[in-house]
Amino acid sequence: MKKHLAGVLALFTIACSCSVDSRQGGDATATTTSLHDMTNDQLRNKIVNALDDMKAKAVEMGIQGVAVASVLNPDETSDWIGEMKVVGTPCNEKEGWNLVAIAWSKCGEVIATGADSGNPDHRTILGELGFAGGAYDEFEGCKMAFAFSGATSEEDLVVAKYGIAKMKEYLSVRPEEASPAAFAPLTTPLKKEQFIQVTLVVDDIHRAARAWAALLDVPEPEIWVNHLQSNGEYPYTYRGQDVPCDLQMCVFEMGGWMLELHQVDGTPSTFREFQDKHGFGVHHLGFEVGDDRDEVIRELKALGFDTGRTVGVYPGSSWTIVDTEDVLGVNLNIKPKR
């Protein structure tokens, strides 16, 4: 029975990750959902942002586990969009729990019942485990199922409900509001004196470095390979996933700011994504915002921008690539300090 149940849970998890992921087939950007005329990718970005908030909440509470979320737009009948975020560990091997399977089981019960999971009046069906920690809500007709697994039922539910609250905030921002005019009311705007960096993606970094050195009449800078990968204490993620890549780079100090040249490998990364979409050119502008980093990120997320395109942490600082290229014409790199 346990093996059969585990198989059902595994199939349910695979079904969620495949059937809801419009990027597996067809043009996701051409599929418009009904809520605020958002594309599936725009809705997915909001879900990922809410999961990032759930992860931060779990870390604040000192708990680990798995956060999952699935959202159904109004007037849709089966196109649930789902994402998952691991907070520390996907399994509690000591207790014998597969937290991924349990979290999706909670989410599945929420979707099936339209109510929080673990309701004793609900007769569990095959694939459900009946655990509390899944939350249900609606916003302007949008159905939301959020769940967390890894701590006590009460703590799991706190994190799930927190994710729904944040999702409502993101859904309240219409895509048309994500425009240059939307930056005016920011309580923590970027300042011109915080500008520190221009980063170019180039085809041949050795040729580009020689050309820039000749143009600026300066020595050629050292070129090195920056291996981007999470290593326990210092995470690195691209679109929410731990995908390592090797990045050839060099830096020209320009007096108060720096010019960086990057040459990417074939591994998925924000720089590879940019090159595949645009070719070579300016990938991002960097700003050093100090203690305002979290508030700047929060406000940009609230505007509807994906702040999880790339997040990297290294000793003494971090870098966050915010996906603003479709609005600003370039991405932003928000750093607390260099």
Side-chain angles (χ1 to χ4, degrees):
M1 178 60 182
K2 289 184 178 180
K3 290 183 177 180
H4 179 63
L5 181 57
V8 171
L9 288 171
L11 288 173
F12 175 75
T13 303
I14 293 171
C16 286
S17 62
C18 294
S19 64
V20 301
D21 192 346
S22 58
R23 290 172 292 183
Q24 296 296 323
D27 183 1
T29 60
T31 303
T32 301
T33 58
S34 56
L35 183 63
H36 311 321
D37 293 327
M38 287 190 300
T39 65
N40 281 343
D41 277 353
Q42 289 171 327
L43 177 58
R44 188 184 307 279
N45 288 340
K46 294 177 185 292
I47 296 172
V48 170
N49 286 341
L51 285 172
D52 286 337
D53 292 321
M54 290 175 68
K55 182 175 182 177
K57 183 66 173 178
V59 171
E60 175 188 313
M61 295 170 62
I63 59 178
Q64 295 185 336
V66 174
V68 301
S70 194
V71 178
L72 179 69
N73 273 338
D75 303 324
E76 298 286 349
T77 58
S78 61
D79 191 16
W80 287 81
I81 307 298
E83 291 287 345
M84 180 182 79
K85 182 79 67 173
V86 175
V87 186
T89 178
C91 300
N92 184 337
E93 296 186 7
K94 181 178 179 181
E95 301 295 334
W97 296 110
N98 184 325
L99 301 178
V100 175
I102 295 172
W104 278 115
S105 174
K106 293 178 183 180
C107 191
E109 180 184 336
V110 170
I111 291 172
T113 62
D116 291 356
S117 67
N119 186 342
D121 296 329
H122 169 62
R123 180 182 65 85
T124 58
I125 59 178
L126 192 62
E128 297 175 358
L129 298 176
F131 289 141
Y136 177 82
D137 208 339
E138 297 184 7
F139 184 79
E140 297 186 11
C142 182
K143 298 180 180 179
M144 298 174 287
F146 278 62
F148 190 84
S149 180
T152 66
S153 296
E154 294 78 10
E155 290 172 323
D156 287 350
L157 189 59
V158 167
V159 177
K161 287 186 175 294
Y162 183 77
I164 282 184
K166 299 303 292 187
M167 188 65 189
K168 287 182 178 179
E169 291 183 16
Y170 299 132
L171 288 173
S172 67
V173 179
R174 271 56 171 175
E176 60 269 20
E177 293 176 350
S179 65
F183 284 87
L186 285 184
T187 59
T188 313
L190 299 180
K191 303 177 180 65
K192 59 183 181 181
E193 58 267 23
Q194 295 173 331
F195 171 71
I196 60 167
Q197 180 186 64
V198 175
T199 295
L200 308 179
V201 174
V202 299
D203 180 26
D204 184 333
I205 193 169
H206 294 276
R207 181 178 62 187
R210 287 194 300 270
W212 275 105
L215 183 67
L216 299 173
D217 192 22
V218 297
E220 290 185 34
E222 175 190 1
I223 297 173
W224 74 95
V225 176
N226 188 3
H227 182 64
L228 300 174
Q229 183 176 19
S230 295
N231 60 351
E233 184 178 359
Y234 301 110
Y236 160 78
T237 58
Y238 162 64
R239 297 293 187 189
Q241 303 296 317
D242 184 354
V243 184
C245 77
D246 286 331
L247 181 69
Q248 293 189 69
M249 60 182 296
C250 66
V251 174
F252 289 88
E253 292 292 342
M254 304 293 286
W257 62 281
M258 65 184 70
L259 173 67
E260 287 189 356
L261 306 183
H262 289 180
Q263 180 181 330
V264 301
D265 61 9
T267 308
S269 69
T270 180
F271 306 105
R272 183 79 238 180
E273 177 181 341
F274 175 88
Q275 181 175 319
D276 291 343
K277 184 177 181 180
H278 303 291
F280 307 109
V282 181
H283 175 271
H284 69 251
L285 302 183
F287 290 82
E288 182 182 355
V289 301
D291 294 337
D292 291 335
R293 183 266 178 197
D294 290 349
E295 182 61 20
V296 170
I297 294 298
R298 186 195 68 78
E299 292 197 56
L300 290 173
K301 286 177 68 173
L303 286 172
F305 292 108
D306 182 1
T307 60
R309 177 162 175 157
T310 295
V311 178
V313 179
Y314 58 93
S317 192
S318 66
W319 55 297
T320 302
I321 300 297
V322 183
D323 195 343
T324 56
E325 62 186 46
D326 290 340
V327 174
L328 297 180
V330 68
N331 298 302
L332 296 177
N333 182 6
I334 305 300
K335 301 170 68 69
K337 59 182 179 179
R338 283 184 250 192

